[in-house]
Amino acid sequence: MVVRHLADFADPDSLLEAIGEIRRWKRLFKKYDNCHVGVLGKDQVRKAMTDANCGKEPSSIELACIMKFYGDGTHSLGLVEFKEAMECWSSYLRQEDDLRATIAHFNRSGTGKLDRWELRDYLVHLSRGAVVSSAEVDWVLSGSSILGDGICYPLELMRATSLWHASRAVRRPRQSSCGCIIS
């Protein structure tokens, strides 16, 4: 939830919609804040993630990634962090099958996660065979390995892919849309 100025809203309906969204997130947060302390601990976040996944609990790695990335090392989430974490979790659940299939394809060791060499092969694939340097792999791993163990789990693969595409977009030379005609 980003604090916005009233002038940012084009019309009263968009303001009312934003207020409604804030209220929905507050209600959801209160549902899991059974201690009424204004933050959710690991067990409460696990319950919210489980409910969002039709009763299937997140793995310990998935929960650890969410808590570490959104909890800023406090092992708890406030309302804003909870909203962001649940949006990430929801996005992951929509992509989970594809992410796991991608990992299975590139994971020669069969561990269900990518080491740096397997991640490099994935990045080469994303780059349509272009060379990927060790420094680039290290950069992607440092930005995506939330747990800091140098391994890329399915939840982290979303971030690794986004980082890679963003870095490629910055380096890609821009196509000129104007031309020069000499007669």
Side-chain angles (χ1 to χ4, degrees), residues 97-151:
D97 291 340
D98 292 337
L99 292 166
R100 290 191 183 282
T102 298
I103 289 209
H105 179 78
F106 290 96
N107 181 222
R108 292 181 301 275
S109 59
T111 60
K113 53 195 173 203
L114 300 180
D115 64 26
R116 74 180 311 279
W117 304 111
E118 294 163 336
L119 178 62
R120 182 194 148 288
D121 293 343
Y122 171 64
L123 298 176
V124 167
H125 168 75
L126 288 179
S127 302
R128 296 180 170 88
V131 174
V132 175
S133 72
S134 291
E136 290 173 310
V137 175
D138 291 342
W139 178 79
V140 170
L141 245 164
S142 70
S144 63
S145 181
I146 299 166
L147 299 179
D149 56 4
I151 300 294

Side-chain angles (χ1 to χ4, degrees), residues 24 57 69 111 133 151 154 162:
R24 282 190 297 279
E57 277 198 17
F69 190 72
T111 60
S133 72
I151 300 294
S162 294

Side-chain angles (χ1 to χ4, degrees), residues 16-165:
L16 290 174
E17 187 178 317
I19 291 170
E21 180 183 357
I22 292 168
R23 286 182 177 150
R24 282 190 297 279
W25 279 106
K26 282 184 173 183
R27 276 194 305 275
L28 187 62
F29 184 84
K30 284 181 181 181
K31 174 181 175 182
Y32 297 103
D33 185 14
N34 51 12
C35 297
H36 310 289
V37 293
V39 294
L40 303 180
K42 195 161 118 177
D43 292 337
Q44 295 154 318
V45 173
R46 177 187 294 114
K47 175 74 173 121
M49 291 170 71
T50 300
D51 290 349
N53 195 16
C54 301
K56 181 182 173 213
E57 277 198 17
S59 71
S60 59
I61 295 293
E62 291 165 339
L63 179 61
C65 284
I66 290 290
M67 292 303 293
K68 182 162 185 183
F69 190 72
Y70 292 99
D72 281 337
T74 62
H75 305 291
S76 62
L77 305 180
L79 175 61
V80 172
E81 296 86 7
F82 174 69
K83 176 188 179 290
E84 292 170 352
M86 293 305 292
E87 287 173 342
C88 174
W89 179 241
S90 179
S91 177
Y92 169 71
L93 293 176
R94 286 190 302 274
Q95 301 175 55
E96 183 178 15
D97 291 340
D98 292 337
L99 292 166
R100 290 191 183 282
T102 298
I103 289 209
H105 179 78
F106 290 96
N107 181 222
R108 292 181 301 275
S109 59
T111 60
K113 53 195 173 203
L114 300 180
D115 64 26
R116 74 180 311 279
W117 304 111
E118 294 163 336
L119 178 62
R120 182 194 148 288
D121 293 343
Y122 171 64
L123 298 176
V124 167
H125 168 75
L126 288 179
S127 302
R128 296 180 170 88
V131 174
V132 175
S133 72
S134 291
E136 290 173 310
V137 175
D138 291 342
W139 178 79
V140 170
L141 245 164
S142 70
S144 63
S145 181
I146 299 166
L147 299 179
D149 56 4
I151 300 294
C152 192
Y153 296 93
L155 184 63
E156 296 169 321
L157 188 60
M158 284 190 332
R159 188 164 172 81
T161 304
S162 294
L163 286 170
W164 184 250
H165 285 308

